């Protein structure tokens, strides 16, 4: 899938989540995820897109969330 199509899908997702005309600015593009600053109607957010490979069945979002919960305790 091309980067243009991925970026369009991200914008479509953000619009469906209530972000009108979102502007995406890449913050970090690593091997395991892409992180974006999202600006929309004076609001700021961060969007993290996890890398997925068909042979890697790990749920990266769940693992990261569990780790952050562990740290907060």
């Amino acid at each position: 899938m091309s980067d243009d199509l991925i970026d369009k899908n991200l914008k479509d997702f953000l619009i469906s989540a209530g972000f009108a005309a979102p502007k995406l600015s890449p913050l970090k593009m690593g091997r395991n995820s892409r992180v974006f600053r999202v600006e929309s109607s004076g609001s700021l957010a961060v969007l993290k897109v996890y890398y997925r490979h068909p042979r890697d069945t790990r749920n990266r979002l769940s693992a990261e969330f569990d780790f952050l919960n562990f740290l907060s305790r």
Side-chain angles (χ1 to χ4, degrees):
M1 186 179 293
S2 74
D3 284 346
D4 289 340
L5 183 56
I6 291 170
D7 290 345
K8 182 188 178 324
N9 289 342
L10 292 177
K11 286 184 179 180
D12 289 347
F13 166 76
L14 289 165
I15 289 168
S16 73
F19 291 88
K23 178 184 172 199
L24 295 170
S25 303
L27 295 177
K28 177 184 179 287
M29 292 184 157
R31 291 174 42 153
N32 294 318
S33 63
R34 296 170 64 188
V35 182
F36 298 89
R37 173 188 170 116
V38 180
E39 296 179 59
S40 173
S41 303
S43 297
L44 294 176
V46 173
L47 174 68
K48 186 170 187 178
V49 180
Y50 294 90
Y51 171 78
R52 295 193 65 170
H53 188 278
R55 292 183 298 197
D56 184 354
T57 60
R58 291 178 291 172
N59 184 332
R60 293 176 185 270
L61 173 61
S62 180
E64 186 164 342
F65 189 77
D66 290 346
F67 179 67
L68 292 172
N69 278 329
F70 171 76
L71 290 177
S72 71
R73 287 181 289 205

